[in-house]
Amino acid sequence: MRQNNKSIVIEELLKNKVISRAKLCKETNLNKATMTELIKELIDQNLVIETGMGFSNTQGGRKPVLLELNKNRGIIIAIEIDFNKILFSIHLLNGEIVLFESKKQMVDKDTIIQEILKIIEVVKTQTEFRDHEIIGMCIAVHGIVKNNKLEFSPKYNLDQVDIVAELKKTYSFPILIENEANAAAIAESTFKNETENLVNLNINSGIGAGIFMNNKLLKGSNGFAGEIGHSIYQPDGLKCICGNQGCVELYASTKALEDKILTVQNKTELDYSTIHDEFKNNSKVNEIITEGARILSIVANNIIVLLSPDLLILNGTLLRSIPEMLDMVKANIKYQYLNNTTIISSGLGERSVLYGCCAIVIKKFLNIKKAHLYISEKI
């Protein structure tokens, strides 16, 4: 009971940012004596700080002491590993990003541990973080995760190494691993959207869906839920490394569309600074994007028909660079009950997966079920 009450108080502190003891009692239905004990314990644990004085009520009296979560209690390391790039960030306990880096980097089972160790050392050598405890790290991967281990990964061979077990040989802080689409869905649920039923569709090197239903992340019996990129778009179509033929991500993922555009441009690397102009002025590029949006609308339609989420969020590099793609996707969906689902682009951009990793660690560290966090970026 005490731990449950403590979790409720922490959730309310996160939600309100700054709040008095009296208002905490009102919001949690806990009595004054219980609240006094819980706050003292949280202050002793350096999780909560007294941050100033509020306003007295209309009858006068003493001004209330305001409380807030101690964001400097520790730092979180968030890492996303795609087949050709690594993104990582450092967050404070309130979710605030204080460092972000992204680099193109091919990884495999022989190099991944060293690459992650390099990131941890970068964090530990940063002067401003030397006195901060690392309270946890979460690594997002493109593949099937079960029991904190990457079980299957069609994009790279990282499933041949137990990433967490190897890192635990060097570091004792909690290390978690999660599917990148699930992490993005957690981010959307934690930082942006209060709805209990949402699907986040990540469209990058593959296509994956993170599914929240009744405020719970759906993973399926073996962690395979949401692998919508491996649903069949073209029977007997292109051979996929998953074993199927005609998987939709071979036709409409960001990587698939990039490869088609590069063929038209006769280039080896896509210039995202000019891609929107290319979409506007190059008929062949426009045709590729238009067809990609049409295929994505089929994916979106199937998600809506199967799950009926309140919110469907699309996120991907091309979608962010060419905002018109979202309108094209929506225009292609003719389902008469579409109005029950709102379709939007992600407001978290390329950092959505990292925010999700951060939220996972915060909830575990604070032992809470729901975290209400807010976007705050110093970089």
Side-chain angles (χ1 to χ4, degrees), residues 307-352:
L307 297 172
S308 187
D310 298 316
L311 189 62
L312 175 59
I313 305 155
L314 307 186
N315 196 352
T317 311
L318 275 173
L319 278 157
R320 294 193 295 272
S321 300
I322 306 174
E324 293 91 336
M325 280 189 76
L326 178 67
D327 295 327
M328 295 161 70
V329 169
K330 291 196 284 189
N332 279 320
I333 300 175
K334 308 301 182 183
Y335 185 53
Q336 63 176 320
Y337 297 112
L338 174 62
N339 289 338
N340 295 332
T341 298
T342 301
I343 305 176
I344 63 171
S345 289
S346 172
L348 298 176
E350 70 171 332
R351 301 180 181 184
S352 66

Side-chain angles (χ1 to χ4, degrees), residues 23-265:
K23 189 173 181 183
L24 271 173
C25 287
K26 181 179 179 181
E27 296 295 329
T28 61
N29 292 318
L30 296 174
N31 63 50
K32 185 177 179 181
T34 299
M35 186 61 67
T36 299
E37 289 183 12
L38 289 172
I39 294 301
K40 181 182 184 305
E41 182 179 335
L42 290 169
I43 290 175
D44 289 344
Q45 293 173 343
N46 202 25
L47 284 169
V48 170
I49 56 175
E50 295 179 333
T51 189
M53 306 297 289
F55 296 102
S56 57
N57 58 35
T58 54
Q59 285 77 40
R62 295 174 60 184
K63 293 181 178 180
V65 177
L66 298 178
L67 305 166
E68 68 175 322
L69 188 78
N70 180 12
K71 68 178 184 179
N72 293 308
R73 171 63 176 77
I75 57 173
I76 298 109
I77 302 174
I79 302 175
E80 179 187 0
I81 303 169
D82 204 341
F83 81 101
N84 63 349
K85 66 178 179 179
I86 298 177
L87 298 84
F88 83 90
S89 54
I90 303 174
H91 301 252
L92 302 180
L93 190 53
N94 65 348
E96 178 182 328
I97 284 187
V98 289
L99 179 68
F100 168 78
E101 289 189 16
S102 173
K103 63 176 180 177
K104 290 189 176 182
Q105 176 77 52
M106 302 296 291
V107 293
D108 60 28
K109 64 183 179 64
D110 297 318
T111 61
I112 186 57
I113 300 302
Q114 284 304 313
E115 290 300 326
I116 296 173
L117 291 175
K118 286 179 187 177
I119 291 172
I120 298 172
E121 288 307 307
V122 166
V123 175
K124 291 171 71 69
T125 55
Q126 292 283 323
T127 304
E128 59 187 303
F129 305 128
R130 282 179 183 170
D131 297 328
H132 287 67
E133 175 191 1
I134 298 174
I135 61 174
M137 176 171 71
C138 183
I139 303 162
V141 292
H142 294 242
I144 308 301
V145 174
K146 186 179 180 183
N147 298 326
N148 210 34
K149 184 179 179 182
L150 178 59
E151 295 283 348
F152 172 71
S153 177
K155 299 295 179 186
Y156 34 41
N157 60 4
L158 302 187
D159 51 357
Q160 297 178 32
V161 58
D162 190 335
I163 296 173
V164 173
E166 289 298 316
L167 293 172
K168 279 292 189 179
K169 293 177 181 178
T170 307
Y171 294 104
S172 60
F173 54 76
I175 300 172
L176 306 168
I177 192 164
E178 183 55 270
N179 169 270
E180 50 86 30
N182 286 342
I186 290 169
E188 295 291 347
S189 174
T190 304
F191 285 90
K192 276 291 183 180
N193 304 285
E194 289 296 317
T195 178
E196 294 186 352
N197 299 290
L198 67 80
V199 176
N200 181 87
L201 192 65
N202 264 17
I203 306 150
N204 291 303
S205 59
I207 301 177
I211 305 165
F212 259 87
M213 289 288 123
N214 299 319
N215 214 26
K216 292 183 179 180
L217 183 66
L218 298 186
K219 293 189 174 184
S221 60
N222 290 297
F224 278 78
E227 289 294 315
I228 198 164
H230 296 288
S231 58
I232 305 301
Y233 165 68
Q234 184 69 56
D236 302 318
L238 298 174
K239 180 74 173 177
C240 182
I241 52 179
C242 77
N244 278 331
Q245 285 182 259
C247 292
V248 70
E249 67 180 42
L250 299 177
Y251 299 85
S253 66
T254 295
K255 183 180 185 306
L257 298 179
E258 282 179 348
D259 289 345
K260 292 175 184 178
I261 292 169
L262 289 172
T263 298
V264 166
Q265 295 177 331

Side-chain angles (χ1 to χ4, degrees), residues 265-278:
Q265 295 177 331
N266 196 26
K267 294 180 180 179
T268 58
E269 187 172 353
L270 197 63
D271 183 356
Y272 269 93
S273 67
T274 62
I275 190 59
H276 190 264
D277 289 338
E278 288 279 316

Side-chain angles (χ1 to χ4, degrees), residues 275-286:
I275 190 59
H276 190 264
D277 289 338
E278 288 279 316
F279 166 71
K280 288 287 190 179
N281 302 314
N282 185 321
S283 61
K284 291 184 178 179
V285 172
N286 184 287

